[in-house]
Structures are given as C-alpha cells and as structure tokens.
C-alpha cells in the first residue's frame, strides 16, 4: 500500500515538474546588463531569440512599466510577450525600476518627465552599444506608461513605433472613472456615486495644495499612503497625455481592453483618434479582457493568476488575442 502511495506521489511530482518546464520553456535567451543613467544604475535584462541563431536583430523594444514597484520582467509576466517579439527578431529591453531589485534610486521620487528622460537615456545606451543605423527602436508600455511614452516620442524622433496597452488620457478623469466603476460594482446609488466623485475631487485638491503628507492629513486628507507615495501622486495628478500625443513621431499601436475597469477605453480611443494622424495610428480592442490583458478564464481569481503565473505562464497567463496582435503589429512593421 505504501509503495503505491509513494509511486502515485512520484508520478504527480514528475507530471508537475514536466508541466512547469513545458510552461516556462521560452525560446529566448536573457542577458543582464547594468545601464548607468545620470541619476541611477538600472539593472536591465535583454531577451534574444534562441532559434534560429542565424537571424539578425531587426530592432529593440524598450519596455516602459506601469505603476508600482516593478522588476524587469514583472515577475516573469512580460516573458510571453517578450518571446513573441523575439520571434520577430526584436530584442526586448526592460529594467528593475529605481529602488527595485539591483537598481539604485527610488521610483516614487520620479515624475512622468523623469521617467521619460530615463527611457531616452536607455535608448541612447542602445545606440552606443549597438551602433547600427538599420535597427528599429520601438517602445512597449502599459497603463501609466501612457503618460511616459508620448513624452519620449515627442522628443525622440529616432523611435519607429510604440505599442501602448490600456493607457489613460487624464489622471483626474481616470481616477474618477475608476472610483465610479467600483462604486457601481458595489451597488451604490446615484447619490452615493456623486458623493464619491466629490470626495475624490476634494481629496485631489488637498494633495495638490499641500507639499507634505503631514499637512495634507492635518487639513482633512483621507488617503492612507506613505510620504513617498504622496510625493509621487502630487507629481502625477496634473498629467494629461493629449498635448504630448499630438506631437509624437512614429507609428502608434493602441491596444484597448474591452472590459477595462481602470481606464475609460472610449475616451482613450477618441483622444488618440483625434490628435494622432490616422496614417500613424492603429487601434485594436481586445474582447473580453480587463486592464491587465490577462487570460479572461483566470482573470477573476488571484489564486489562478498566481498558479498559472508559476506553472504555465507561457500558454495561459496572458490573453492570446492580445499576444497575437502585438506580434502581428511588429511583424507588419518589419515586412
């Protein structure tokens, strides 16, 4: 009996190990580099296609994080997309945010302009490390990167293209949209929703008015955040991407989530369509997905997201339609 139990356990373990290897078998290699900017040292990874080895590099895609203390691969969540880019001959470049992993500095001390300057310095590093005029330089970014990438593309005319996933336009309107959506989800009445809007606007006014978190709390501020986070939010509140978008160079691939709870996809689509030349812009709405473009079959369960993220991220973590579109976008640029 004991032998049968041990045999069963052994078989299960072998299967789990096999599934893990299968689900994490990316056909790309990684190279770690340290990029020195004017303010920080950035712990960076570069991903290259493993097979076929004879294919030349077509270009580089610089990853621009959304909000939060993100490491270079977003805990490997970027890898399914990086592999798709690698298949098309593109090297992905991404780094631990300042103060995360082995990167120096503090990302909470950065404004969106600081972040844009950081991206530009990484692009300058690419030109120096790989001095080949035939390489394309592209950007990929999600969510908060929607306020960073337009600034980069406005000032850097060597960028060929950018893919933006679920970006917002205006920070204040995005905040109101998110809070209203959450209120409706919880069954709030119209009166309660209006109160939530007023509270959000009033709290934002207090953040803009007072330099320190202590002053903000003394005058009725309700948010419980760290002093560094307060400093970061103060710099972010006035951001609006419209003016920067009207001056971008290169092609733009706008990817929207049909069921986005964080960002008003309708507003984003309308503004991009209005201010960017139609010849530069491609818009794709991915059906059924929410803000993070996670596979909708697991998106509503943190347990499943974490489980799949460890065992089978390559095949089931990120929505296939989203991955297919991103790969198609860069492949068509190369053709």
């Amino acid at each position: 009996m004991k032998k049968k139990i041990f045999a069963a356990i052994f078989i299960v373990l072998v299967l789990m190990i096999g599934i893990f290897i299968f689900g994490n078998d990316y056909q790309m290699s990684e190279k770690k580099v340290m990029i020195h900017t004017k303010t920080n040292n950035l712990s960076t990874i570069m991903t290259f296609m493993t097979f076929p080895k004879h294919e030349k590099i077509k270009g580089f895609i610089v990853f621009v994080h959304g909000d939060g203390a993100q490491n270079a691969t977003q805990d490997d969540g970027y890898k399914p997309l990086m592999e798709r880019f690698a298949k098309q001959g593109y090297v992905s470049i991404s780094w631990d945010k300042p103060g995360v992993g082995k990167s120096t500095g503090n990302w909470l001390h950065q404004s969106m302009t600081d972040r844009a300057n950081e991206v530009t310095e990484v692009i300058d590093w690419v030109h120096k490390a790989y001095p080949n005029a035939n390489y394309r330089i592209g950007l990929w970014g999600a969510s908060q990167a929607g306020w960073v990438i337009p600034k980069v593309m406005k000032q850097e005319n060597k960028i060929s293209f950018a893919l933006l996933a679920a970006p917002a336009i205006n920070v204040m309107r995005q905040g109101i949209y998110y809070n209203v959506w959450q209120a409706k989800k919880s069954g709030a009445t119209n009166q309660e929703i209006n109160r939530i809007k007023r509270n959000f606007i009033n709290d934002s006014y207090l953040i803009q008015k007072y330099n320190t978190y202590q002053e903000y709390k003394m005058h009725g501020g309700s948010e419980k955040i760290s002093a560094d986070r307060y400093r970061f939010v103060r710099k972010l509140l006035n951001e609006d991407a419209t003016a920067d978008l009207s001056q971008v160079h290169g092609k733009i691939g706008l990817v929207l989530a049909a069921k986005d709870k964080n960002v008003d996809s309708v507003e984003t689509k309308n503004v991009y369509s209005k201010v960017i030349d139609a010849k530069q812009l491609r818009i794709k709405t991915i059906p059924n997905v929410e803000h993070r473009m996670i596979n909708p079959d697991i998106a509503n369960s943190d347990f499943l997201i974490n489980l799949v993220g460890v065992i089978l991220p390559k095949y089931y973590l990120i929505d296939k339609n989203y991955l297919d579109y991103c790969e198609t976008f860069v492949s068509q640029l190369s053709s």
Side-chain angles (χ1 to χ4, degrees), residues 160-184:
S160 300
F161 64 91
L163 271 163
L164 293 102
I169 299 299
N170 177 280
V171 170
M172 284 294 295
R173 292 198 298 272
Q174 185 265 336
I176 292 171
Y177 175 87
Y178 174 78
N179 280 278
V180 168
W181 196 98
Q182 293 294 327
K184 288 180 178 178

Side-chain angles (χ1 to χ4, degrees), residues 282-293:
R282 299 181 194 174
I283 300 175
K284 174 69 174 179
T285 300
I286 308 298
N288 300 319
V289 297
E290 297 180 7
H291 186 66
R292 294 183 291 172
M293 302 293 176

Side-chain angles (χ1 to χ4, degrees), residues 20 23-24 26 28 30 45 63 65 67-82 94-97 100-101 140 292 294 305-314 317-318:
F20 175 82
N24 288 272
Y26 295 103
M28 61 185 184
E30 296 181 21
I45 69 159
F63 275 55
H65 296 296
D67 195 8
Q70 306 288 355
N71 59 28
T73 64
Q74 200 184 38
D75 295 325
D76 292 349
Y78 289 159
K79 286 188 176 181
L81 183 59
M82 288 175 163
S94 185
W95 55 94
D96 299 339
K97 276 190 176 183
V100 177
W140 171 91
R292 294 183 291 172
I294 287 176
I305 291 172
N306 292 327
L307 181 65
V308 171
V310 171
I311 298 178
L312 284 167
K314 177 175 177 176
L317 181 62
I318 307 299

Side-chain angles (χ1 to χ4, degrees), residues 152-198:
V152 179
M153 297 189 78
K154 179 180 71 172
Q155 65 191 30
E156 178 59 77
N157 58 15
K158 295 179 182 179
I159 296 172
S160 300
F161 64 91
L163 271 163
L164 293 102
I169 299 299
N170 177 280
V171 170
M172 284 294 295
R173 292 198 298 272
Q174 185 265 336
I176 292 171
Y177 175 87
Y178 174 78
N179 280 278
V180 168
W181 196 98
Q182 293 294 327
K184 288 180 178 178
K185 181 182 177 182
S186 64
T189 64
N190 288 336
Q191 184 177 4
E192 289 170 331
I193 289 172
N194 289 332
R195 177 176 53 79
I196 288 168
K197 284 183 183 179
R198 289 194 302 270

Side-chain angles (χ1 to χ4, degrees), residues 1 49 55 74 97 105 123-124 138 142 175 178 181 183 186 194 199 203 231 242 256 260 293 296 325:
M1 184 65 180
M49 190 61 188
E55 283 205 2
Q74 200 184 38
K97 276 190 176 183
I123 292 170
D124 290 342
Y178 174 78
W181 196 98
S186 64
N194 289 332
N199 289 345
D203 213 57
R231 175 180 175 176
T242 308
L256 301 170
D260 202 322
M293 302 293 176
Y325 178 75

Side-chain angles (χ1 to χ4, degrees), residues 210-239:
Y210 295 108
N211 289 327
T212 68
Y213 181 65
Q214 290 77 11
E215 290 176 297
Y216 159 80
K217 292 296 286 185
M218 285 174 58
H219 290 85
S222 60
E223 287 290 327
K224 294 181 179 180
I225 54 178
S226 69
D228 275 346
R229 182 70 186 180
Y230 180 82
R231 175 180 175 176
F232 179 77
V233 172
R234 281 197 85 232
K235 293 178 180 180
L236 182 63
L237 274 179
N238 290 320
E239 287 292 340

